[in-house]
Amino acid sequence: MIPDDPASYPPRRDDTGRRPHDPAERPGRGRLIVMILAVAFAIVGLLSLAAILATAFVQGTVWPGFVLASYFCLPTAFLLMVALVVWSVIGRRRT
């Protein structure tokens, strides 16, 4: 017996076996900016942390800018990533 309700049919798939792209799943401009900022802060923080460790390894004087970058960039990146996770959870609950 074939159901009459089209919502009960499985989702259509293209010839590659994947579902067609849903525009609602694509991140918006704001989410994309937050994502890029989080990655940029994480990279800057990790590079400055690596510079601190390398300077300490050769027993040099650590530039305070590297310390400030590590102190502020890594927690900021973490908070932005948490915000992205919360943003995604809220978006999925609405659907």
Side-chain angles (χ1 to χ4, degrees):
M1 180 170 191
I2 299 175
D4 293 329
D5 184 20
S8 64
Y9 293 133
R12 289 187 174 187
R13 298 186 183 274
D14 59 6
D15 54 349
T16 62
R18 296 179 299 172
R19 281 191 281 173
H21 182 67
D22 185 11
E25 293 177 7
R26 191 171 40 188
R29 182 174 289 234
R31 190 177 298 180
L32 183 64
I33 290 172
V34 172
M35 193 180 315
I36 290 171
L37 281 174
V39 169
F41 277 124
I43 289 171
V44 169
L46 289 174
L47 286 176
S48 63
L49 184 62
I52 291 170
L53 292 174
T55 305
F57 182 72
V58 296
Q59 297 177 353
T61 304
V62 177
W63 182 55
F66 289 142
V67 177
L68 284 174
S70 292
Y71 280 163
F72 291 111
C73 288
L74 290 174
T76 302
F78 179 76
L79 290 175
L80 287 173
M81 289 178 200
V82 168
L84 284 168
V85 169
V86 170
W87 200 344
S88 294
V89 167
I90 290 172
R92 287 181 187 259
R93 285 194 178 194
R94 288 184 183 163
T95 60

